[in-house]
Amino acid sequence: MLGISEKTKIEMLKKLIEIRRFEEKAIQLYKTGKIWGYLHPCIGQEAVPVGACHAIGIQDYVISNHRGHGHCIARGADIRKMMAELFGKSTGYCKGRGGSMHIVDMELKILGENGIVGGGIPISVGAGLSCKMEGKGNVVVCFFGDGAANNGVFHESLNMAAIFKLPVIYICENNMYAISMRSADSVSCKDVGKRNCAYGIPGHIIDGSDPVEVYNAVKKAAGHARDGRGPSLIEAKTYRFYGHHPNDPAEYREKEEVEYYTSEKDPVANFKSRLLEEKIITEERIERIESEVDKKIKGAVTFAEKSPEPELEKFLEEVEQI
Amino acid sequence: MREIQYREAIREAIIEEMDRDRKVFLIGEDVGVYGGAFKAYKGLLDKYGPDRVINTPISETAIIGAGIGAALTGYRPIVEIMFIDFAALAMDQIANQAAKIHFMSGGRLNVPLVIRTQGGVGKGLATQHSQSLEAWFYHIPGLKVVMPATSYDVKGLLKTAIRDNSPVMFIEHKMTYPVKGAVPEEEYTIPFGKADIKRKGEDITIFAYSNMVLKSIEAAEELEREGISCEVVDPRTIVPLDIDEVINSVKKTGRLIIVSEACRRGSVASDISARVTERVFEYLKAPVKIVAGLDTPIPYNSTLEWASIPQKSDIIKAVKELLEEIL
């Protein structure tokens, strides 16, 4: 954990807890019919966004995907606006136009989640081009899953980013399943992270349940990018604790496999233990953090519930302009 | 006034805008030393260098994505899709990303992106290089669609497209590049959603865009000699569409022919017909007539190719038929 301050580690733990609790609350709200549509929780994968977003600066860009709440929260998004968006309210990040899969925050340089698997990957090329043209040393972090790594956009974009030496960090969150299809059956080689050699760029294969490992890999890739040496590909091995969405019982997975990952590779539980072992934090402090997070989430739900619906007249006016 | 080729007008618009705004840049296949497939970018690499005239691999999706990402982060890219047929390779980025980002972000994000491309029949390029696919983009809320017919229009509209904050499909026609037209020396822009009466007339309205404007004008000139007065209305942009100008013309003439190179099924022409009929049915002296391409892939053989899209003779025939019809 060389180079990460105790303060940052505690911040990372806070974000891990915040993402976990936000997603648990969202699932609960979904199951009770308070929110609807599609919801793709990232429970089990929290360490990837947390490690990555702490390894970059506020001036850098983040491109997310359909399972993107973690990316937004790790980046510092306002969970009141996120929750309001899940409720479809006018105070939400997208004024109720986008929903769970389309949260953006330009102040935090989150260029957007994305409802299309792989849809954000080509956009990273343009954001990277823009960073390169501005010449201020900014980088782009582009998150996507193992499913997206098999889409044609992956090849076009990584090739183009590589030939132009664009400052993009491609992070494949391999949670082992693209809805129901195992990455072992869908990825032609053992590791997505080894596809780097096809583009002549650095590749890192890391344990995505460990925020420190993610942090270190992203830090390294960001340094490489800021030096003008181009993109990197990081494969973070992770696991989706639940189904593709709250109504998916995930029957395509072996019980033993789920038990192994949920007990051995829980990023939140493991990081808590680690910080306790390193005596960076106490049980009491963790409890305090958890209750603060719960309070914040409760406040977000209240905010969302009390927020007004989008105005129909305003929407119809907007339509006239489209 | 001086006359310049359509491709020169494009080049002038780009030079003026690149000189005006350092955020404007060009990206696409063979846009560099090759100067673009239709030579509209001749000399621009030397003038602006490889940082602003960016040659790409054959990766249409990543090209559009590069444009979107740069547009989201403060640039005004002009991306080139060499043939509109190749837009099929990049439809997610165009239809699901570029077109939707402004709306689905609750208006927080803008995508000031120009997608320059060209379509149409006329060079024996066969099925996969000759299509008129504007209806695909016309159908998708969130895109603007520009289809200039003349040198004057292409220059003024391209400058407007570059300054616009929305994604714009800028669709040229491969037969218009060498055609010369009057273009003033001084700077000008043309607003979107403003039709142009290309020729005044009294007896019948011909609505046409892109290369069909030129064919319609030729037809109108020939008909004039027979004493038939045609008004040729060119919308110039089909999204936004200046339907009022068409309506005004139809109110005057009572007869409307819509000429479209695209095949008829699901076409822009069909939609215009419905919209006009809804609004001014009582003014129509005859049913709206559509002169469109056949519902066929474009054939290679010249005779068959010629037969697959409207020609001047088809327009003349349609005008005469319509003038004989009484509702």
Tab-separated table of all heavy atoms in Angstrom, chain A residues 268-297:
chain	number	residue	atom	x	y	z
A	268	VAL	N	-15.780	-4.964	0.246
A	268	VAL	CA	-16.074	-4.093	1.386
A	268	VAL	C	-15.584	-4.755	2.671
A	268	VAL	O	-14.820	-4.163	3.442
A	268	VAL	CB	-17.587	-3.767	1.458
A	268	VAL	CG1	-17.859	-2.795	2.601
A	268	VAL	CG2	-18.079	-3.192	0.137
A	269	ALA	N	-15.986	-5.999	2.897
A	269	ALA	CA	-15.589	-6.712	4.119
A	269	ALA	C	-14.069	-6.851	4.194
A	269	ALA	O	-13.459	-6.626	5.247
A	269	ALA	CB	-16.254	-8.086	4.144
A	270	ASN	N	-13.465	-7.191	3.067
A	270	ASN	CA	-12.015	-7.395	3.071
A	270	ASN	C	-11.244	-6.116	3.367
A	270	ASN	O	-10.235	-6.133	4.068
A	270	ASN	CB	-11.549	-7.958	1.723
A	270	ASN	CG	-12.002	-9.399	1.518
A	270	ASN	OD1	-12.614	-9.992	2.407
A	270	ASN	ND2	-11.717	-9.963	0.352
A	271	PHE	N	-11.732	-5.015	2.830
A	271	PHE	CA	-10.983	-3.766	3.038
A	271	PHE	C	-11.147	-3.273	4.483
A	271	PHE	O	-10.221	-2.723	5.062
A	271	PHE	CB	-11.427	-2.697	2.039
A	271	PHE	CG	-10.410	-1.607	1.848
A	271	PHE	CD1	-9.118	-1.904	1.429
A	271	PHE	CD2	-10.720	-0.276	2.095
A	271	PHE	CE1	-8.162	-0.897	1.253
A	271	PHE	CE2	-9.780	0.738	1.918
A	271	PHE	CZ	-8.499	0.421	1.503
A	272	LYS	N	-12.334	-3.517	5.029
A	272	LYS	CA	-12.547	-3.193	6.449
A	272	LYS	C	-11.529	-3.958	7.291
A	272	LYS	O	-10.833	-3.372	8.126
A	272	LYS	CB	-13.946	-3.649	6.881
A	272	LYS	CG	-15.046	-2.659	6.675
A	272	LYS	CD	-16.341	-3.237	7.276
A	272	LYS	CE	-17.558	-2.665	6.629
A	272	LYS	NZ	-18.794	-3.398	6.965
A	273	SER	N	-11.450	-5.275	7.084
A	273	SER	CA	-10.534	-6.113	7.866
A	273	SER	C	-9.100	-5.628	7.707
A	273	SER	O	-8.338	-5.573	8.674
A	273	SER	CB	-10.592	-7.572	7.410
A	273	SER	OG	-11.908	-7.996	7.343
A	274	ARG	N	-8.787	-5.277	6.481
A	274	ARG	CA	-7.423	-4.858	6.214
A	274	ARG	C	-7.060	-3.579	6.967
A	274	ARG	O	-5.990	-3.476	7.561
A	274	ARG	CB	-7.284	-4.638	4.717
A	274	ARG	CG	-5.907	-4.308	4.275
A	274	ARG	CD	-5.857	-4.558	2.808
A	274	ARG	NE	-4.619	-4.135	2.210
A	274	ARG	CZ	-4.353	-4.319	0.933
A	274	ARG	NH1	-5.230	-4.902	0.154
A	274	ARG	NH2	-3.203	-3.935	0.443
A	275	LEU	N	-7.961	-2.625	6.933
A	275	LEU	CA	-7.685	-1.366	7.633
A	275	LEU	C	-7.669	-1.564	9.149
A	275	LEU	O	-6.917	-0.898	9.868
A	275	LEU	CB	-8.699	-0.293	7.248
A	275	LEU	CG	-8.720	0.174	5.793
A	275	LEU	CD1	-9.455	1.496	5.655
A	275	LEU	CD2	-7.326	0.295	5.180
A	276	LEU	N	-8.475	-2.504	9.620
A	276	LEU	CA	-8.450	-2.821	11.057
A	276	LEU	C	-7.114	-3.460	11.413
A	276	LEU	O	-6.478	-3.080	12.395
A	276	LEU	CB	-9.602	-3.770	11.419
A	276	LEU	CG	-11.001	-3.145	11.477
A	276	LEU	CD1	-12.072	-4.235	11.557
A	276	LEU	CD2	-11.129	-2.198	12.671
A	277	GLU	N	-6.679	-4.415	10.590
A	277	GLU	CA	-5.396	-5.088	10.829
A	277	GLU	C	-4.246	-4.085	10.814
A	277	GLU	O	-3.326	-4.179	11.607
A	277	GLU	CB	-5.125	-6.124	9.730
A	277	GLU	CG	-5.701	-7.487	10.016
A	277	GLU	CD	-5.665	-8.375	8.765
A	277	GLU	OE1	-4.693	-8.270	7.981
A	277	GLU	OE2	-6.636	-9.131	8.574
A	278	GLU	N	-4.330	-3.163	9.888
A	278	GLU	CA	-3.251	-2.164	9.787
A	278	GLU	C	-3.398	-1.066	10.829
A	278	GLU	O	-2.609	-0.116	10.856
A	278	GLU	CB	-3.255	-1.543	8.376
A	278	GLU	CG	-2.832	-2.539	7.315
A	278	GLU	CD	-2.861	-1.953	5.902
A	278	GLU	OE1	-3.108	-0.736	5.762
A	278	GLU	OE2	-2.636	-2.725	4.949
A	279	LYS	N	-4.430	-1.207	11.624
A	279	LYS	CA	-4.713	-0.259	12.729
A	279	LYS	C	-4.882	1.187	12.225
A	279	LYS	O	-4.514	2.153	12.889
A	279	LYS	CB	-3.639	-0.348	13.813
A	279	LYS	CG	-3.548	-1.726	14.442
A	279	LYS	CD	-2.888	-1.680	15.791
A	279	LYS	CE	-2.596	-3.070	16.342
A	279	LYS	NZ	-3.766	-3.959	16.351
A	280	ILE	N	-5.427	1.278	11.040
A	280	ILE	CA	-5.708	2.601	10.468
A	280	ILE	C	-7.070	3.075	10.955
A	280	ILE	O	-7.356	4.258	11.006
A	280	ILE	CB	-5.665	2.513	8.922
A	280	ILE	CG1	-4.224	2.320	8.468
A	280	ILE	CG2	-6.280	3.741	8.270
A	280	ILE	CD1	-4.082	1.999	7.012
A	281	ILE	N	-7.872	2.102	11.313
A	281	ILE	CA	-9.256	2.437	11.689
A	281	ILE	C	-9.692	1.519	12.840
A	281	ILE	O	-9.110	0.446	13.036
A	281	ILE	CB	-10.191	2.303	10.458
A	281	ILE	CG1	-11.444	3.151	10.623
A	281	ILE	CG2	-10.523	0.858	10.160
A	281	ILE	CD1	-12.174	3.399	9.326
A	282	THR	N	-10.721	1.965	13.561
A	282	THR	CA	-11.265	1.140	14.645
A	282	THR	C	-12.670	0.683	14.273
A	282	THR	O	-13.302	1.266	13.375
A	282	THR	CB	-11.370	1.966	15.940
A	282	THR	OG1	-12.241	3.075	15.684
A	282	THR	CG2	-10.010	2.456	16.402
A	283	GLU	N	-13.150	-0.342	14.967
A	283	GLU	CA	-14.526	-0.830	14.754
A	283	GLU	C	-15.527	0.314	14.940
A	283	GLU	O	-16.475	0.452	14.175
A	283	GLU	CB	-14.856	-1.937	15.764
A	283	GLU	CG	-14.104	-3.239	15.548
A	283	GLU	CD	-14.736	-4.129	14.471
A	283	GLU	OE1	-15.693	-3.686	13.815
A	283	GLU	OE2	-14.243	-5.262	14.292
A	284	GLU	N	-15.267	1.104	15.966
A	284	GLU	CA	-16.197	2.197	16.283
A	284	GLU	C	-16.265	3.205	15.133
A	284	GLU	O	-17.344	3.666	14.758
A	284	GLU	CB	-15.764	2.938	17.573
A	284	GLU	CG	-15.827	2.115	18.844
A	284	GLU	CD	-14.750	1.043	18.920
A	284	GLU	OE1	-13.615	1.294	18.447
A	284	GLU	OE2	-15.018	-0.065	19.422
A	285	ARG	N	-15.114	3.517	14.597
A	285	ARG	CA	-15.073	4.477	13.488
A	285	ARG	C	-15.838	3.917	12.282
A	285	ARG	O	-16.573	4.655	11.613
A	285	ARG	CB	-13.602	4.759	13.128
A	285	ARG	CG	-13.389	5.700	11.960
A	285	ARG	CD	-13.372	7.165	12.380
A	285	ARG	NE	-13.480	8.070	11.244
A	285	ARG	CZ	-12.436	8.546	10.557
A	285	ARG	NH1	-11.204	8.237	10.915
A	285	ARG	NH2	-12.632	9.367	9.548
A	286	ILE	N	-15.648	2.630	12.041
A	286	ILE	CA	-16.377	2.012	10.911
A	286	ILE	C	-17.886	2.099	11.141
A	286	ILE	O	-18.641	2.464	10.238
A	286	ILE	CB	-15.933	0.535	10.710
A	286	ILE	CG1	-14.484	0.478	10.223
A	286	ILE	CG2	-16.857	-0.174	9.714
A	286	ILE	CD1	-13.910	-0.923	10.115
A	287	GLU	N	-18.282	1.801	12.356
A	287	GLU	CA	-19.715	1.877	12.665
A	287	GLU	C	-20.240	3.295	12.452
A	287	GLU	O	-21.341	3.493	11.944
A	287	GLU	CB	-19.975	1.432	14.117
A	287	GLU	CG	-20.058	-0.077	14.245
A	287	GLU	CD	-20.030	-0.549	15.693
A	287	GLU	OE1	-20.421	0.236	16.582
A	287	GLU	OE2	-19.588	-1.687	15.929
A	288	ARG	N	-19.403	4.240	12.853
A	288	ARG	CA	-19.798	5.632	12.686
A	288	ARG	C	-19.943	5.977	11.196
A	288	ARG	O	-20.911	6.605	10.775
A	288	ARG	CB	-18.766	6.540	13.342
A	288	ARG	CG	-19.404	7.709	14.041
A	288	ARG	CD	-18.524	8.375	15.085
A	288	ARG	NE	-17.221	8.752	14.620
A	288	ARG	CZ	-16.073	8.362	15.195
A	288	ARG	NH1	-16.099	7.542	16.235
A	288	ARG	NH2	-14.908	8.761	14.739
A	289	ILE	N	-18.971	5.518	10.414
A	289	ILE	CA	-19.038	5.751	8.962
A	289	ILE	C	-20.312	5.129	8.388
A	289	ILE	O	-21.048	5.760	7.631
A	289	ILE	CB	-17.787	5.164	8.253
A	289	ILE	CG1	-16.532	5.981	8.607
A	289	ILE	CG2	-17.989	5.120	6.732
A	289	ILE	CD1	-15.229	5.362	8.139
A	290	GLU	N	-20.574	3.912	8.800
A	290	GLU	CA	-21.755	3.220	8.266
A	290	GLU	C	-23.054	3.944	8.616
A	290	GLU	O	-23.950	4.056	7.776
A	290	GLU	CB	-21.782	1.763	8.765
A	290	GLU	CG	-20.757	0.927	8.016
A	290	GLU	CD	-20.610	-0.500	8.523
A	290	GLU	OE1	-20.902	-0.735	9.712
A	290	GLU	OE2	-20.188	-1.351	7.733
A	291	SER	N	-23.100	4.424	9.837
A	291	SER	CA	-24.353	5.097	10.196
A	291	SER	C	-24.460	6.454	9.476
A	291	SER	O	-25.553	6.880	9.096
A	291	SER	CB	-24.519	5.218	11.710
A	291	SER	OG	-23.696	6.224	12.215
A	292	GLU	N	-23.309	7.099	9.260
A	292	GLU	CA	-23.336	8.355	8.482
A	292	GLU	C	-23.805	8.089	7.052
A	292	GLU	O	-24.618	8.837	6.490
A	292	GLU	CB	-21.937	8.988	8.442
A	292	GLU	CG	-21.595	9.817	9.661
A	292	GLU	CD	-20.093	10.089	9.776
A	292	GLU	OE1	-19.377	9.939	8.755
A	292	GLU	OE2	-19.649	10.424	10.883
A	293	VAL	N	-23.277	7.028	6.468
A	293	VAL	CA	-23.666	6.673	5.093
A	293	VAL	C	-25.157	6.362	5.039
A	293	VAL	O	-25.880	6.838	4.156
A	293	VAL	CB	-22.828	5.471	4.581
A	293	VAL	CG1	-23.441	4.881	3.312
A	293	VAL	CG2	-21.385	5.887	4.323
A	294	ASP	N	-25.629	5.587	6.010
A	294	ASP	CA	-27.056	5.237	6.025
A	294	ASP	C	-27.933	6.486	6.129
A	294	ASP	O	-28.962	6.591	5.467
A	294	ASP	CB	-27.352	4.291	7.184
A	294	ASP	CG	-26.871	2.873	6.878
A	294	ASP	OD1	-26.622	2.579	5.687
A	294	ASP	OD2	-26.714	2.075	7.817
A	295	LYS	N	-27.453	7.415	6.928
A	295	LYS	CA	-28.206	8.653	7.102
A	295	LYS	C	-28.245	9.441	5.780
A	295	LYS	O	-29.290	9.962	5.379
A	295	LYS	CB	-27.512	9.501	8.181
A	295	LYS	CG	-28.444	10.414	8.941
A	295	LYS	CD	-27.703	11.086	10.083
A	295	LYS	CE	-28.106	12.548	10.149
A	295	LYS	NZ	-27.174	13.352	10.944
A	296	LYS	N	-27.095	9.464	5.132
A	296	LYS	CA	-26.981	10.166	3.848
A	296	LYS	C	-27.928	9.530	2.810
A	296	LYS	O	-28.603	10.241	2.058
A	296	LYS	CB	-25.525	10.041	3.388
A	296	LYS	CG	-25.081	11.051	2.362
A	296	LYS	CD	-23.578	10.946	2.139
A	296	LYS	CE	-23.181	11.504	0.803
A	296	LYS	NZ	-21.767	11.263	0.481
A	297	ILE	N	-27.955	8.212	2.820
A	297	ILE	CA	-28.806	7.522	1.841
A	297	ILE	C	-30.280	7.735	2.164
A	297	ILE	O	-31.089	7.979	1.269
A	297	ILE	CB	-28.426	6.025	1.752
A	297	ILE	CG1	-27.083	5.916	1.020
A	297	ILE	CG2	-29.506	5.217	1.044
A	297	ILE	CD1	-26.427	4.583	1.082
